[in-house]
């Protein structure tokens, strides 16, 4: 049964649909298992020390897995990753384990999946979690950053995916080389 939204909730959701946001697939692996979820609620907090926040709905079955594993990778998606965003948003019915069998993943030293075609990959550990309404806000201390120079990006705006880039050149998987890896001090 679908919960009826209040007028205030509908207005808020309409306003937020006009807030363009980067699309990310956040992945984890550890004692809780391997999992991932599509999220747009990722934000830089500070560069001293490098810290980000990631918001995950508590009703998502991945929520408990992230809490248990305490390690994650934020894969900032490029435009070629739109289909993947749909899979990790749960819109396709592809089982979680099968999503990680595809030949698009690298792994960090702790076997956390990192997407080869991502515009950026940020690996870290959850240092605190705060509850706000239906979501947990995970504060993540950053251990590793991989950046693909001259990448385009996938954003969510007006309830649809859009590509944003620095030029008209389409990003292809063949161009998915040239990582620059940085480790915060």
């Amino acid at each position: 049964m679908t919960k009826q939204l209040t007028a205030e909730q509908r207005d808020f959701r309409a306003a937020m649909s006009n807030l363009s946001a980067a699309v990310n697939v956040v992945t984890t692996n550890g004692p809780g298992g391997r999992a991932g979820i599509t999220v747009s609620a990722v934000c830089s907090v500070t560069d001293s020390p490098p810290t980000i926040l990631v918001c995950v709905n508590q009703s998502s079955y991945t929520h408990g897995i992230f809490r248990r594993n305490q390690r994650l990778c934020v894969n900032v998606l490029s435009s070629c990753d739109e289909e993947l965003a749909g899979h990790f948003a749960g819109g396709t019915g592809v089982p979680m384990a099968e999503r990680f069998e595809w030949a698009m993943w690298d792994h960090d030293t702790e076997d956390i999946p990192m997407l080869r075609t991502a515009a950026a990959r940020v690996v870290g550990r959850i240092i605190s979690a705060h509850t706000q309404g239906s979501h947990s806000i995970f504060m993540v201390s950053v251990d590793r950053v991989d950046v693909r120079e001259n990448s385009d990006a996938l954003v969510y705006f007006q309830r649809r995916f859009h590509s944003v880039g620095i030029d008209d050149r389409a990003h292809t998987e063949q161009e998915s080389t040239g990582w620059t890896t940085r480790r915060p001090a």
Side-chain angles (χ1 to χ4, degrees):
M1 180 153 89
T2 304
K3 177 185 163 193
Q4 292 292 334
L5 298 176
T6 66
E8 182 179 60
Q9 288 171 313
R10 283 191 305 276
D11 290 346
F12 179 76
R13 288 182 180 195
M16 292 300 99
S17 76
N18 286 321
L19 177 64
S20 58
V23 181
N24 311 277
V25 169
V26 182
T27 57
T28 188
N29 195 18
R34 182 175 286 169
I37 188 171
T38 298
V39 301
S40 59
V42 172
C43 181
S44 164
V45 175
T46 181
D47 65 356
S48 298
T51 307
I52 60 174
L53 66 80
V54 177
C55 298
V56 176
N57 193 315
Q58 294 177 12
S59 68
S60 168
Y61 96 94
T62 62
H63 179 270
I65 298 170
F66 282 105
R67 286 193 74 106
R68 181 150 188 231
N69 290 349
Q70 295 290 300
R71 302 270 308 150
L72 58 80
C73 177
V74 174
N75 296 279
V76 180
L77 301 188
S78 63
S79 64
C80 69
D81 299 317
E82 183 175 338
E83 184 178 357
L84 186 71
H87 290 303
F88 280 92
T92 63
V94 174
M96 185 68 69
E98 187 177 325
R99 298 173 201 171
F100 290 111
E101 292 173 6
W102 300 329
M104 59 181 59
W105 300 103
D106 291 328
H107 301 282
D108 81 336
T109 56
E110 295 181 37
D111 203 29
I112 296 172
M114 301 184 315
L115 185 62
R116 287 188 186 130
T117 55
R121 307 182 301 199
V122 181
V123 179
R125 62 185 165 77
I126 298 171
I127 54 174
S128 66
H130 309 278
T131 299
Q132 180 61 44
S134 60
H135 284 64
S136 285
I137 303 165
F138 296 131
M139 301 300 288
V140 178
S141 175
V142 175
D143 297 326
R144 172 184 174 157
V145 175
D146 297 339
V147 178
R148 183 178 318 288
E149 302 300 328
N150 300 318
S151 179
D152 62 4
L154 186 65
V155 298
Y156 198 66
F157 176 72
Q158 295 259 325
R159 297 180 177 93
R160 292 189 357 225
F161 294 116
H162 301 273
S163 177
V164 175
I166 56 174
D167 60 28
D168 293 332
R169 187 179 53 134
H171 177 79
T172 65
E173 193 164 340
Q174 288 77 27
E175 296 170 346
S176 298
T177 58
W179 285 108
T180 302
T181 300
R182 298 175 178 102
R183 298 191 189 280

